[in-house]
Amino acid sequence: MSNLAKIGVITLALGAVLYGAYGLGYGQAEAKGLAALRLVQVEREEERRAAAEAYGKALADTLSRYQQEVATAQQAAQTLSAKNNALETQAQTLRRDIKNATAGSVHVFSAEFVRLWNGFIGAASPTPRAVPAPGGAGGAAGGGTAGAASGAGFPGVGQPASVTEEDVLEFMAYYGSRCQRLESKERAWQTLAKGWATK
């Protein structure tokens, strides 16, 4: 075999080795690249799964809190309804006693009394009345200090307003029941708000 043939064989052999080495290196690099890509994909899938689980837990917690708040509100509404029913029963019981309590009474309250009453409860804005001077023009019907002390000289004093004791008690039955209902509602709201503030 000539030298030229030997060189050709060596060159071919060397080329085959180099090609094989290149192919092996390329294959290893490709495998490593694919492995790295798969690792990134797995990490992203885990991140997405973790985010989905966190979102699901947050949603479940929110739903649980909402259900607790609804249950608390329903309980407060039931308690308030029961209290209102009890107050209404109490008011009806008291109203039945009004006729007996006022039987035979002839008290009729003056227009001035009614004006002040309405002013105290906010049903009307009472206009301030000037106190008449002792012995002044308004001191008729008793005159002087005695007349002022007895209410003489005040507009409406001594004039019947057709408001009887029965009327006053009927009003108090309504107004007292209304006030108690409002107080019960306020307490229920305060309890509810306090429960929400601690969550």
Side-chain angles (χ1 to χ4, degrees):
M1 180 180 285
S2 68
N3 286 337
L4 185 59
K6 289 180 182 177
I7 291 172
V9 170
I10 292 172
T11 303
L12 283 175
L14 185 58
V17 169
L18 288 175
Y19 181 78
Y22 170 79
L24 180 62
Y26 178 82
Q28 289 176 346
E30 185 180 27
K32 286 180 181 177
L34 290 173
L37 179 62
R38 181 61 186 148
L39 181 61
V40 169
Q41 289 174 338
V42 168
E43 288 174 352
R44 286 185 179 171
E45 286 173 5
E46 289 176 354
E47 288 172 1
R48 282 195 293 268
R49 184 166 46 251
E53 288 175 359
Y55 177 76
K57 184 179 183 310
L59 189 61
D61 291 345
T62 300
L63 180 61
S64 175
R65 280 195 306 273
Y66 170 75
Q67 290 171 335
Q68 289 173 356
E69 288 171 2
V70 167
T72 302
Q74 288 174 338
Q75 179 62 41
Q78 290 171 356
T79 301
L80 184 59
S81 178
K83 178 65 174 175
N84 285 341
N85 289 339
L87 289 172
E88 181 58 30
T89 300
Q90 176 184 340
Q92 288 175 359
T93 301
L94 291 172
R95 281 191 194 102
R96 284 195 290 270
D97 293 338
I98 290 176
K99 291 284 185 191
N100 294 333
T102 58
S105 174
V106 292
H107 282 107
V108 177
F109 295 93
S110 70
E112 180 66 7
F113 175 89
V114 173
R115 182 190 70 80
L116 289 173
W117 177 279
N118 287 338
F120 289 138
I121 65 169
S125 298
T127 305
R129 304 289 189 201
V131 177
T145 306
S150 66
F154 284 86
V157 173
Q159 300 171 9
S162 298
V163 175
T164 64
E165 288 179 347
E166 182 178 347
D167 295 327
V168 171
L169 289 176
E170 283 284 357
F171 171 79
M172 285 309 296
Y174 156 77
Y175 196 71
S177 178
R178 180 174 182 267
C179 290
Q180 291 178 66
R181 285 171 187 265
L182 289 173
E183 288 173 2
S184 295
K185 189 182 292 184
E186 182 183 6
R187 281 194 295 272
W189 275 114
Q190 287 172 345
T191 302
L192 198 59
K194 191 183 297 182
W196 286 343
T198 58
K199 292 181 181 176

